Amino acid sequence: MSTARITRSTTTSQRQPPTAAPAASTAQPTKRFKSPRKEGQAERLLHGPYDAPSTPPPKKARLSAPALPPATPTPALIGLMSGLHSTGDIDDPLPTHALASRPAEPHLTNAPLKTPGGSRLTAYPAEGADASPSKTGKPRPTTTTGQLLDEACAHLVAVEPKLKPVIDKHRCQIFAPEGLAEEVDPFRSLASGIMAQQVSGAAASSIKKKFIGLFNEVPAEGAENVEWRFPAPSQVAACEVEFLRKAGLSGRKAEYIKGLAEKFASGELSAKILVDASYEEVLEKLTAVRGLGKWSVEMFACFALKRMDVFSTGDLGVQRGMAALMGKDVKKLKAKGGGKWKYMSEADMLAYSEKFAPYRSLFMWYMWRIEDVNVEAIQNS
C-alpha cells in the first residue's frame, strides 16, 4: 500500500508499471453508503484510493438565529455582583454590618457604596439627621431600610392579591434590612460581572481568584487570617491587557475590565455618582462602558445598588412569570415559538407592570420565583 501511494505522487516517468488487475467479479459491488454527504467516501472505498473524490454536494446556508435576551438572571453573573452574606470568594469574608435603620427611597440607590479609599456612601444621612431636599439635593425619603421590604410586599399584594401565596412563602433577603446593610464596591461588582459573562459559576470564581491573586502577595505557608483585597480601579487601569489575561480572561474581557477601571480611576464613574444619579442616568453612564449591556446594567441596578423600581422587559424569566401570573399556558406558548416576545409583548409587560411601581424590582424577583428560577444561587453564588 505504501509503495503504491508514494509512486502515485511522483512524476509520470518514475511511476512503477501497474500490477495486473484481479479478475473481474461477475457480481456488481453493492454500495453501502446512501447518504449524499458520504457519497465521496463510498466512491473511494468502492473504486480504490486513486480515483478523484466526487464533489460533495453544496452545503445548505444556515440562517443565524436572532439574538434572544437572557433567559434568566444568570447566577454566575448576578451572584458575583450581589451575593448576600458571602459569595464564598477569597476577597469576600462574612459581613459584620450593623442593621441600623436609615432613610430609604425606592427610586434611589439604597445600598451603601464603598469607595476605593474605604469610605461608605449612602443616599441619605443616618436616621434622625436632616434629610430635607435642601440638604441632600434629593427627594425627601419616603421610608426606612427597616420598613422598605414590608411596605413593598404590602403594595404588591394590594394591587395583585394572587401574589400573596408566593410572597408569604419566599422572603426576599435582597431588600430585607440585612441585605440593605451590606456594602457594595461598584467597581468590584461590575468587574466581577464581566468576568462571569458566558462562563459557568465555577469558572467565573476561579478567574476571579486568579485576578485577585495578581494584585496580592502569596501568603506564606501556614499563614492565618490572610486578607485578600480586590484591586482598586487605579491598580487595574495601570496594567497592560496581557498582564490581566494571566487570570484566565479572554483578551476582550481584559480590555473591558481595564476600560471600566480607567473610567473609575478618572472619576468618570464613581460610587458618589451611582449614589446620586437617577436610574436613567445610571443606565446611560454604564451602558456607555464596553462590555456592559442594558440587561447587565439593569441587574446591577437591581441586585447591587438595591434600586427598587427596576424592570427588565428583555428577561425571558420575567416574561414567563408574568404570563403564568396572568393565567396563560406557558408550555404552549413556548412550544408555539414566536421569537423574543413569545410569552408577552413588551408593550403588555410595561402596561401590566405599571401598577407595581415603585417596587418593580421586587415584582421581578417574584416572577422568577413563580417560574422556579434558582434565585438561591443568585443570592448565595
Side-chain angles (χ1 to χ4, degrees), residues 20 143 251 337 362:
T143 186
L362 183 64

Side-chain angles (χ1 to χ4, degrees), residues 2-149:
S2 61
T3 302
R5 285 188 180 277
I6 294 171
T7 55
R8 181 66 180 171
S9 64
T10 59
T11 59
T12 305
S13 62
Q14 293 174 320
R15 291 181 181 173
Q16 299 293 328
T19 56
S25 172
T26 56
Q28 293 295 320
T30 303
K31 290 188 177 182
R32 296 183 181 181
F33 297 86
K34 300 296 184 182
S35 169
R37 185 175 291 181
K38 295 185 178 180
E39 187 65 23
Q41 181 181 356
E43 289 295 320
R44 288 193 294 274
L45 290 174
L46 289 169
H47 302 297
Y50 309 127
D51 294 302
S54 60
T55 303
K59 293 182 178 180
K60 293 182 179 179
R62 292 185 178 181
L63 298 177
S64 59
L68 296 176
T72 63
T74 313
L77 176 60
I78 302 175
L80 284 169
M81 290 198 301
S82 62
L84 282 179
H85 306 304
S86 178
T87 62
D89 290 332
I90 56 177
D91 68 323
D92 187 30
L94 288 171
T96 55
H97 305 296
L99 296 182
S101 185
R102 52 187 166 79
E105 165 55 45
H107 295 99
L108 296 180
T109 293
N110 291 296
L113 300 189
K114 186 177 179 181
T115 69
S119 59
R120 185 173 184 262
L121 299 179
T122 56
Y124 296 102
E127 192 170 18
D130 186 358
S132 62
S134 61
K135 291 287 185 181
T136 64
K138 305 179 183 70
R140 188 177 293 277
T142 57
T143 186
T144 67
T145 54
Q147 300 171 327
L148 183 59
L149 178 61

Side-chain angles (χ1 to χ4, degrees), residues 179-358:
L180 297 176
E182 291 195 299
E183 289 182 359
V184 173
D185 177 346
F187 171 66
R188 172 183 178 271
S189 297
L190 290 166
S192 298
I194 292 173
M195 293 178 202
Q197 290 174 0
Q198 299 177 330
V199 297
S200 68
S205 182
S206 175
I207 291 170
K208 184 177 178 182
K209 288 178 181 179
K210 292 176 183 177
F211 182 83
I212 294 167
L214 295 176
F215 300 90
N216 289 266
E217 292 185 5
V218 178
E221 187 174 352
E224 297 180 357
N225 300 323
V226 177
E227 186 176 5
W228 293 84
R229 292 181 179 274
F230 199 87
S234 57
Q235 291 177 277
V236 179
C239 295
E240 297 294 333
V241 168
E242 287 305 313
F243 176 77
L244 300 180
R245 292 192 65 187
K246 292 180 180 180
L249 293 165
S250 66
R252 182 163 293 180
K253 283 187 180 181
E255 290 175 1
Y256 292 163
I257 292 173
K258 179 176 171 64
L260 176 69
E262 289 170 346
K263 287 186 179 292
F264 272 94
S266 68
E268 188 175 343
L269 287 174
S270 68
K272 180 169 176 51
I273 288 173
L274 296 173
V275 162
D276 293 338
S278 67
Y279 177 56
E280 291 72 21
E281 289 170 334
V282 170
L283 278 178
E284 181 183 356
K285 287 183 176 295
L286 292 183
T287 53
V289 179
R290 291 181 64 213
L292 295 177
K294 184 181 179 184
W295 182 84
S296 296
V297 175
E298 289 170 339
M299 297 301 108
F300 171 75
C302 176
F303 288 93
L305 300 183
K306 309 296 196 316
R307 288 181 175 250
M308 289 293 291
D309 202 31
V310 176
F311 186 67
S312 178
T313 59
D315 187 285
L316 287 180
V318 175
Q319 286 186 31
R320 289 197 302 267
M322 291 180 68
L325 181 65
M326 296 176 71
K328 297 182 179 182
D329 190 327
V330 173
K331 290 184 179 179
K332 284 187 178 180
L333 290 173
K334 182 179 181 180
K336 185 179 179 181
K340 183 175 180 178
W341 309 106
K342 67 173 70 176
Y343 301 104
M344 287 186 73
S345 71
E346 185 175 27
D348 288 345
M349 291 180 73
L350 290 170
Y352 184 76
S353 68
E354 187 61 35
K355 63 184 179 182
F356 299 103

